[in-house]
Amino acid sequence: GALAAALKRAGLTEAQVRETEIEPDFEDGRAVYEVEFVSGENEYEITVDAATGKILDYEVERDD
């Protein structure tokens, strides 16, 4: 699913992340999942196409 695709893109496993949030959303008329999690000192925000599992957006920020 969306979490697996996001973790694969980030190069992380589920055991390496915390504060995982997955929210369904619509972007440009298509269903997507907004996946957010924290690993180490980084916060990840990844948008995954709900139909294909393709990564549409990938952002990493330092978690303060």
Side-chain angles (χ1 to χ4, degrees), residues 5-48:
L7 289 169
K8 182 177 180 182
R9 173 62 177 87
L12 298 168
T13 66
E14 202 165 343
Q16 292 174 292
V17 302
R18 63 186 192 282
E19 299 177 33
T20 303
E21 293 182 28
I22 303 171
E23 294 183 16
D25 201 358
F26 280 91
E27 211 170 81
D28 299 324
R30 77 171 74 167
V32 300
Y33 290 105
E34 300 286 345
V35 182
E36 298 180 13
F37 50 78
V38 176
S39 180
E41 296 182 358
N42 294 321
E43 183 175 311
Y44 295 79
E45 293 184 20
I46 303 169
T47 305
V48 182

